[in-house]
Amino acid sequence: MDLSRRAAAGFALVVLIVGGLFAVQLTAEEWLTLNPPDRMTPVIDSPETVHFGKNDFNYVSWKYRPYKEPLLIATGEDRDSLWYLMFVHANVTPPYGGNPKLGRTGYVKVDYNLHDLAGTAAFHVLALTGSSWRTNRIEGFGSSGLFVGGDAEPGTSMGPTTEMTNYNDILVLPAGVRKDPENAAPYSYYIHFDPASGGLNSLHVTRDLSRVKGEIIDTTDRSGSFYLTCSGGPAIDALLLLVAVDEMQPDTFSLSLNMQFIRSEG
Amino acid sequence: MFSPKDYFTLNEIALMSLMGGLVFVMKTAFRMPLGIPGHTGIFLVIPVILGVAIIQKPGSGTYIGLVSGVLLSFFGLSGMHVFDVFQITAFGASIDAVGYAFRYRMESIQVGVLAGIAGNLAKMVVNFAVNLAIGVPFVVVAVGAGISSVSHVLFGALGGLISAYLAARLIRTGVISRDATGADRNDS
């Protein structure tokens, strides 16, 4: 076969390949049309209001929270403290900041109200994507988190707590739930951070939606609002809000959370 | 008797390594924020096609691609980091295959353009495969496949055109000696 005929065969092959790839693209676009993000679950746009007392803190940890390696709950003066933790399941559509054709873009607005808070309350976010979890960072670029200072007198007791000594590949029970380890699995979240991936750069706590990546917020406002945002990655399957306090709380302590998914333009 | 040690001469290995390094340098130096998939193909194919045109042995393009792929992986210039080695090796191997199929007539415009297209398309396909392997949803990869392939073909063709011109000029001035390497012996 001479050069010209070979070249013609080569160009014909290129046209076939490009045509095939266009067919794949059209098929993918058709699939997206038939499966719009609004049909994706979980879709829970109604608000959820939950109330907690001091006995709902069911974990205790010396300065760390879950991650593939123990992650600090707070920096600065609050760093070396014993913290009481609870994991609040946010039963709303999780935040999503990716391709609007693949998910419902939006954020979660959280209205909080702390009553008779002693010490500092820290708010962090954890999210499950597939089989691996993610959380917000409080050190380095893109740090975010909410820390609320209280002025109430510390209490003298808390409810029964489980001491956290491991921070990855663990079962955690939601706030206020206490089960024997052999019976805990059906009520738990299995928190696994993939050692080979990151998990610190896509979840954020912010009070300013123009700053999606948020910031470290130190405030004494015992009531207010903040937003949980997601700046990338696949859609989230489950969302937990980690609330931690570094003092025993008085009997009159209470925390109210009103959470709602707010849809944003893609 | 054929010996693997004698397949490439020292000069050829040096030239291929330099061409692989040139691919890396061009990728670093020519940063054009066009945002068009495959636009780097317009210059990345040139060292590989010229290397294949000069060496005229199967494996030369693959070697050049491997060297540049390793360099790009180690320096982590793109988001794919270590996976660049697969993309750029495939890039070189496909140009290698075109060179072999067309008897290293890289100075021909048709062959040069085809080589450029083949290299750029191969890079694109391997990039898709790597994305799928690391867990990117298929629909995300597929939804841009068609348009992306057109831009890859376009820029690969342009790069191949430039390479063919350069190869023709190098042959005319005697820098590449086709007679000495026996390129004419199998013309059909």
PDB file of all heavy atoms in Angstrom, chain B residues 161-188:
ATOM      1  N   LEU B 161       2.265  19.061  11.582  1.00  0.00           N
ATOM      2  CA  LEU B 161       2.573  19.850  10.375  1.00  0.00           C
ATOM      3  C   LEU B 161       3.909  20.578  10.537  1.00  0.00           C
ATOM      4  O   LEU B 161       4.771  20.564   9.641  1.00  0.00           O
ATOM      5  CB  LEU B 161       1.442  20.851  10.157  1.00  0.00           C
ATOM      6  CG  LEU B 161       1.381  21.592   8.832  1.00  0.00           C
ATOM      7  CD1 LEU B 161       1.135  20.603   7.706  1.00  0.00           C
ATOM      8  CD2 LEU B 161       0.261  22.623   8.872  1.00  0.00           C
ATOM      9  N   ILE B 162       4.073  21.190  11.717  1.00  0.00           N
ATOM     10  CA  ILE B 162       5.328  21.902  11.994  1.00  0.00           C
ATOM     11  C   ILE B 162       6.484  20.912  11.995  1.00  0.00           C
ATOM     12  O   ILE B 162       7.558  21.175  11.447  1.00  0.00           O
ATOM     13  CB  ILE B 162       5.234  22.624  13.357  1.00  0.00           C
ATOM     14  CG1 ILE B 162       4.154  23.705  13.308  1.00  0.00           C
ATOM     15  CG2 ILE B 162       6.578  23.227  13.742  1.00  0.00           C
ATOM     16  CD1 ILE B 162       3.806  24.298  14.655  1.00  0.00           C
ATOM     17  N   SER B 163       6.256  19.750  12.604  1.00  0.00           N
ATOM     18  CA  SER B 163       7.312  18.734  12.679  1.00  0.00           C
ATOM     19  C   SER B 163       7.699  18.254  11.287  1.00  0.00           C
ATOM     20  O   SER B 163       8.883  18.059  11.005  1.00  0.00           O
ATOM     21  CB  SER B 163       6.832  17.540  13.509  1.00  0.00           C
ATOM     22  OG  SER B 163       6.368  17.940  14.764  1.00  0.00           O
ATOM     23  N   ALA B 164       6.713  18.043  10.420  1.00  0.00           N
ATOM     24  CA  ALA B 164       7.008  17.581   9.058  1.00  0.00           C
ATOM     25  C   ALA B 164       7.844  18.612   8.313  1.00  0.00           C
ATOM     26  O   ALA B 164       8.802  18.267   7.607  1.00  0.00           O
ATOM     27  CB  ALA B 164       5.695  17.315   8.324  1.00  0.00           C
ATOM     28  N   TYR B 165       7.491  19.855   8.492  1.00  0.00           N
ATOM     29  CA  TYR B 165       8.260  20.929   7.842  1.00  0.00           C
ATOM     30  C   TYR B 165       9.698  20.937   8.339  1.00  0.00           C
ATOM     31  O   TYR B 165      10.650  21.017   7.560  1.00  0.00           O
ATOM     32  CB  TYR B 165       7.578  22.275   8.104  1.00  0.00           C
ATOM     33  CG  TYR B 165       8.356  23.461   7.610  1.00  0.00           C
ATOM     34  CD1 TYR B 165       8.400  23.775   6.255  1.00  0.00           C
ATOM     35  CD2 TYR B 165       9.067  24.266   8.490  1.00  0.00           C
ATOM     36  CE1 TYR B 165       9.119  24.867   5.795  1.00  0.00           C
ATOM     37  CE2 TYR B 165       9.798  25.349   8.044  1.00  0.00           C
ATOM     38  CZ  TYR B 165       9.814  25.651   6.688  1.00  0.00           C
ATOM     39  OH  TYR B 165      10.540  26.727   6.234  1.00  0.00           O
ATOM     40  N   LEU B 166       9.853  20.852   9.658  1.00  0.00           N
ATOM     41  CA  LEU B 166      11.197  20.855  10.237  1.00  0.00           C
ATOM     42  C   LEU B 166      11.995  19.636   9.780  1.00  0.00           C
ATOM     43  O   LEU B 166      13.183  19.751   9.441  1.00  0.00           O
ATOM     44  CB  LEU B 166      11.109  20.874  11.776  1.00  0.00           C
ATOM     45  CG  LEU B 166      10.654  22.177  12.415  1.00  0.00           C
ATOM     46  CD1 LEU B 166      10.442  22.001  13.918  1.00  0.00           C
ATOM     47  CD2 LEU B 166      11.667  23.286  12.160  1.00  0.00           C
ATOM     48  N   ALA B 167      11.351  18.482   9.743  1.00  0.00           N
ATOM     49  CA  ALA B 167      12.056  17.270   9.310  1.00  0.00           C
ATOM     50  C   ALA B 167      12.500  17.401   7.854  1.00  0.00           C
ATOM     51  O   ALA B 167      13.626  17.028   7.501  1.00  0.00           O
ATOM     52  CB  ALA B 167      11.151  16.054   9.495  1.00  0.00           C
ATOM     53  N   ALA B 168      11.606  17.959   7.019  1.00  0.00           N
ATOM     54  CA  ALA B 168      11.959  18.138   5.597  1.00  0.00           C
ATOM     55  C   ALA B 168      13.146  19.074   5.444  1.00  0.00           C
ATOM     56  O   ALA B 168      14.063  18.827   4.646  1.00  0.00           O
ATOM     57  CB  ALA B 168      10.754  18.665   4.837  1.00  0.00           C
ATOM     58  N   ARG B 169      13.152  20.138   6.233  1.00  0.00           N
ATOM     59  CA  ARG B 169      14.264  21.097   6.142  1.00  0.00           C
ATOM     60  C   ARG B 169      15.557  20.472   6.664  1.00  0.00           C
ATOM     61  O   ARG B 169      16.637  20.707   6.098  1.00  0.00           O
ATOM     62  CB  ARG B 169      13.948  22.361   6.947  1.00  0.00           C
ATOM     63  CG  ARG B 169      12.837  23.219   6.370  1.00  0.00           C
ATOM     64  CD  ARG B 169      13.095  23.602   4.949  1.00  0.00           C
ATOM     65  NE  ARG B 169      14.304  24.396   4.811  1.00  0.00           N
ATOM     66  CZ  ARG B 169      14.326  25.724   4.646  1.00  0.00           C
ATOM     67  NH1 ARG B 169      13.190  26.397   4.638  1.00  0.00           N
ATOM     68  NH2 ARG B 169      15.464  26.365   4.511  1.00  0.00           N
ATOM     69  N   LEU B 170      15.438  19.675   7.720  1.00  0.00           N
ATOM     70  CA  LEU B 170      16.643  19.034   8.255  1.00  0.00           C
ATOM     71  C   LEU B 170      17.213  18.028   7.269  1.00  0.00           C
ATOM     72  O   LEU B 170      18.435  17.871   7.158  1.00  0.00           O
ATOM     73  CB  LEU B 170      16.317  18.341   9.588  1.00  0.00           C
ATOM     74  CG  LEU B 170      16.064  19.285  10.769  1.00  0.00           C
ATOM     75  CD1 LEU B 170      15.559  18.506  11.980  1.00  0.00           C
ATOM     76  CD2 LEU B 170      17.311  20.070  11.140  1.00  0.00           C
ATOM     77  N   ILE B 171      16.352  17.352   6.530  1.00  0.00           N
ATOM     78  CA  ILE B 171      16.819  16.407   5.524  1.00  0.00           C
ATOM     79  C   ILE B 171      17.461  17.175   4.363  1.00  0.00           C
ATOM     80  O   ILE B 171      18.525  16.801   3.858  1.00  0.00           O
ATOM     81  CB  ILE B 171      15.655  15.524   5.025  1.00  0.00           C
ATOM     82  CG1 ILE B 171      15.230  14.562   6.131  1.00  0.00           C
ATOM     83  CG2 ILE B 171      16.051  14.759   3.763  1.00  0.00           C
ATOM     84  CD1 ILE B 171      13.958  13.805   5.840  1.00  0.00           C
ATOM     85  N   ARG B 172      16.835  18.270   3.963  1.00  0.00           N
ATOM     86  CA  ARG B 172      17.345  19.039   2.830  1.00  0.00           C
ATOM     87  C   ARG B 172      18.719  19.620   3.129  1.00  0.00           C
ATOM     88  O   ARG B 172      19.586  19.688   2.266  1.00  0.00           O
ATOM     89  CB  ARG B 172      16.368  20.158   2.486  1.00  0.00           C
ATOM     90  CG  ARG B 172      16.628  20.787   1.112  1.00  0.00           C
ATOM     91  CD  ARG B 172      15.670  21.914   0.811  1.00  0.00           C
ATOM     92  NE  ARG B 172      14.278  21.494   0.981  1.00  0.00           N
ATOM     93  CZ  ARG B 172      13.247  22.344   0.902  1.00  0.00           C
ATOM     94  NH1 ARG B 172      13.447  23.617   0.700  1.00  0.00           N
ATOM     95  NH2 ARG B 172      12.028  21.915   1.047  1.00  0.00           N
ATOM     96  N   THR B 173      18.896  20.037   4.386  1.00  0.00           N
ATOM     97  CA  THR B 173      20.196  20.626   4.729  1.00  0.00           C
ATOM     98  C   THR B 173      21.223  19.572   5.118  1.00  0.00           C
ATOM     99  O   THR B 173      22.368  19.893   5.379  1.00  0.00           O
ATOM    100  CB  THR B 173      20.039  21.610   5.901  1.00  0.00           C
ATOM    101  OG1 THR B 173      19.417  20.932   7.007  1.00  0.00           O
ATOM    102  CG2 THR B 173      19.198  22.806   5.505  1.00  0.00           C
ATOM    103  N   GLY B 174      20.792  18.322   5.165  1.00  0.00           N
ATOM    104  CA  GLY B 174      21.732  17.243   5.441  1.00  0.00           C
ATOM    105  C   GLY B 174      21.931  16.922   6.905  1.00  0.00           C
ATOM    106  O   GLY B 174      22.737  16.055   7.254  1.00  0.00           O
ATOM    107  N   VAL B 175      21.206  17.587   7.783  1.00  0.00           N
ATOM    108  CA  VAL B 175      21.346  17.275   9.212  1.00  0.00           C
ATOM    109  C   VAL B 175      20.828  15.860   9.464  1.00  0.00           C
ATOM    110  O   VAL B 175      21.406  15.083  10.216  1.00  0.00           O
ATOM    111  CB  VAL B 175      20.561  18.298  10.070  1.00  0.00           C
ATOM    112  CG1 VAL B 175      20.573  17.897  11.528  1.00  0.00           C
ATOM    113  CG2 VAL B 175      21.170  19.681   9.885  1.00  0.00           C
ATOM    114  N   ILE B 176      19.715  15.532   8.839  1.00  0.00           N
ATOM    115  CA  ILE B 176      19.216  14.151   8.877  1.00  0.00           C
ATOM    116  C   ILE B 176      19.574  13.544   7.534  1.00  0.00           C
ATOM    117  O   ILE B 176      19.185  14.061   6.485  1.00  0.00           O
ATOM    118  CB  ILE B 176      17.693  14.082   9.046  1.00  0.00           C
ATOM    119  CG1 ILE B 176      17.256  14.774  10.333  1.00  0.00           C
ATOM    120  CG2 ILE B 176      17.228  12.632   9.058  1.00  0.00           C
ATOM    121  CD1 ILE B 176      15.741  14.823  10.510  1.00  0.00           C
ATOM    122  N   SER B 177      20.320  12.448   7.581  1.00  0.00           N
ATOM    123  CA  SER B 177      20.737  11.815   6.353  1.00  0.00           C
ATOM    124  C   SER B 177      19.877  10.586   6.156  1.00  0.00           C
ATOM    125  O   SER B 177      20.065   9.569   6.822  1.00  0.00           O
ATOM    126  CB  SER B 177      22.209  11.428   6.441  1.00  0.00           C
ATOM    127  OG  SER B 177      22.576  10.653   5.339  1.00  0.00           O
ATOM    128  N   ARG B 178      18.948  10.662   5.251  1.00  0.00           N
ATOM    129  CA  ARG B 178      18.072   9.510   5.049  1.00  0.00           C
ATOM    130  C   ARG B 178      18.817   8.384   4.393  1.00  0.00           C
ATOM    131  O   ARG B 178      18.589   7.216   4.669  1.00  0.00           O
ATOM    132  CB  ARG B 178      16.864   9.906   4.211  1.00  0.00           C
ATOM    133  CG  ARG B 178      15.915  10.834   4.973  1.00  0.00           C
ATOM    134  CD  ARG B 178      14.732  11.241   4.134  1.00  0.00           C
ATOM    135  NE  ARG B 178      13.950  10.068   3.765  1.00  0.00           N
ATOM    136  CZ  ARG B 178      13.283   9.963   2.630  1.00  0.00           C
ATOM    137  NH1 ARG B 178      13.317  10.926   1.744  1.00  0.00           N
ATOM    138  NH2 ARG B 178      12.579   8.888   2.359  1.00  0.00           N
ATOM    139  N   ASP B 179      19.750   8.713   3.491  1.00  0.00           N
ATOM    140  CA  ASP B 179      20.490   7.656   2.812  1.00  0.00           C
ATOM    141  C   ASP B 179      21.328   6.864   3.805  1.00  0.00           C
ATOM    142  O   ASP B 179      21.399   5.657   3.766  1.00  0.00           O
ATOM    143  CB  ASP B 179      21.405   8.262   1.751  1.00  0.00           C
ATOM    144  CG  ASP B 179      20.577   8.820   0.604  1.00  0.00           C
ATOM    145  OD1 ASP B 179      19.421   8.393   0.482  1.00  0.00           O
ATOM    146  OD2 ASP B 179      21.087   9.656  -0.146  1.00  0.00           O
ATOM    147  N   ALA B 180      21.958   7.555   4.718  1.00  0.00           N
ATOM    148  CA  ALA B 180      22.880   6.884   5.635  1.00  0.00           C
ATOM    149  C   ALA B 180      22.128   5.954   6.578  1.00  0.00           C
ATOM    150  O   ALA B 180      22.642   4.921   6.977  1.00  0.00           O
ATOM    151  CB  ALA B 180      23.645   7.927   6.444  1.00  0.00           C
ATOM    152  N   THR B 181      20.904   6.287   6.894  1.00  0.00           N
ATOM    153  CA  THR B 181      20.151   5.426   7.807  1.00  0.00           C
ATOM    154  C   THR B 181      19.295   4.429   7.055  1.00  0.00           C
ATOM    155  O   THR B 181      18.552   3.666   7.665  1.00  0.00           O
ATOM    156  CB  THR B 181      19.238   6.261   8.709  1.00  0.00           C
ATOM    157  OG1 THR B 181      18.372   7.067   7.886  1.00  0.00           O
ATOM    158  CG2 THR B 181      20.046   7.172   9.608  1.00  0.00           C
ATOM    159  N   GLY B 182      19.370   4.470   5.705  1.00  0.00           N
ATOM    160  CA  GLY B 182      18.646   3.475   4.929  1.00  0.00           C
ATOM    161  C   GLY B 182      17.159   3.720   4.855  1.00  0.00           C
ATOM    162  O   GLY B 182      16.383   2.809   4.591  1.00  0.00           O
ATOM    163  N   ALA B 183      16.761   4.958   5.018  1.00  0.00           N
ATOM    164  CA  ALA B 183      15.313   5.219   5.035  1.00  0.00           C
ATOM    165  C   ALA B 183      14.692   4.983   3.686  1.00  0.00           C
ATOM    166  O   ALA B 183      13.511   4.722   3.597  1.00  0.00           O
ATOM    167  CB  ALA B 183      15.070   6.651   5.480  1.00  0.00           C
ATOM    168  N   ASP B 184      15.469   5.101   2.629  1.00  0.00           N
ATOM    169  CA  ASP B 184      14.892   4.956   1.306  1.00  0.00           C
ATOM    170  C   ASP B 184      14.769   3.518   0.858  1.00  0.00           C
ATOM    171  O   ASP B 184      14.119   3.219  -0.124  1.00  0.00           O
ATOM    172  CB  ASP B 184      15.742   5.714   0.272  1.00  0.00           C
ATOM    173  CG  ASP B 184      15.547   7.210   0.402  1.00  0.00           C
ATOM    174  OD1 ASP B 184      14.447   7.631   0.777  1.00  0.00           O
ATOM    175  OD2 ASP B 184      16.503   7.939   0.148  1.00  0.00           O
ATOM    176  N   ARG B 185      15.394   2.595   1.580  1.00  0.00           N
ATOM    177  CA  ARG B 185      15.504   1.251   1.031  1.00  0.00           C
ATOM    178  C   ARG B 185      14.165   0.534   0.965  1.00  0.00           C
ATOM    179  O   ARG B 185      13.981  -0.380   0.193  1.00  0.00           O
ATOM    180  CB  ARG B 185      16.482   0.420   1.856  1.00  0.00           C
ATOM    181  CG  ARG B 185      16.026   0.140   3.268  1.00  0.00           C
ATOM    182  CD  ARG B 185      17.097  -0.636   4.023  1.00  0.00           C
ATOM    183  NE  ARG B 185      16.673  -0.971   5.369  1.00  0.00           N
ATOM    184  CZ  ARG B 185      16.722  -0.138   6.388  1.00  0.00           C
ATOM    185  NH1 ARG B 185      17.172   1.091   6.252  1.00  0.00           N
ATOM    186  NH2 ARG B 185      16.323  -0.505   7.593  1.00  0.00           N
ATOM    187  N   ASN B 186      13.210   0.889   1.775  1.00  0.00           N
ATOM    188  CA  ASN B 186      11.943   0.174   1.796  1.00  0.00           C
ATOM    189  C   ASN B 186      10.798   1.003   1.247  1.00  0.00           C
ATOM    190  O   ASN B 186       9.644   0.708   1.497  1.00  0.00           O
ATOM    191  CB  ASN B 186      11.585  -0.231   3.233  1.00  0.00           C
ATOM    192  CG  ASN B 186      12.517  -1.267   3.765  1.00  0.00           C
ATOM    193  OD1 ASN B 186      12.953  -2.171   3.016  1.00  0.00           O
ATOM    194  ND2 ASN B 186      12.889  -1.141   5.015  1.00  0.00           N
ATOM    195  N   ASP B 187      11.124   2.079   0.485  1.00  0.00           N
ATOM    196  CA  ASP B 187      10.050   2.885  -0.080  1.00  0.00           C
ATOM    197  C   ASP B 187       9.192   2.040  -0.999  1.00  0.00           C
ATOM    198  O   ASP B 187       9.692   1.275  -1.814  1.00  0.00           O
ATOM    199  CB  ASP B 187      10.627   4.055  -0.892  1.00  0.00           C
ATOM    200  CG  ASP B 187      10.968   5.223   0.035  1.00  0.00           C
ATOM    201  OD1 ASP B 187      10.658   5.122   1.230  1.00  0.00           O
ATOM    202  OD2 ASP B 187      11.558   6.187  -0.462  1.00  0.00           O
ATOM    203  N   SER B 188       7.916   2.230  -0.903  1.00  0.00           N
ATOM    204  CA  SER B 188       7.003   1.464  -1.776  1.00  0.00           C
ATOM    205  C   SER B 188       6.445   2.366  -2.847  1.00  0.00           C
ATOM    206  O   SER B 188       6.579   3.593  -2.758  1.00  0.00           O
ATOM    207  CB  SER B 188       5.857   0.887  -0.947  1.00  0.00           C
ATOM    208  OG  SER B 188       5.221   1.901  -0.236  1.00  0.00           O
TER     209      SER B 188
END
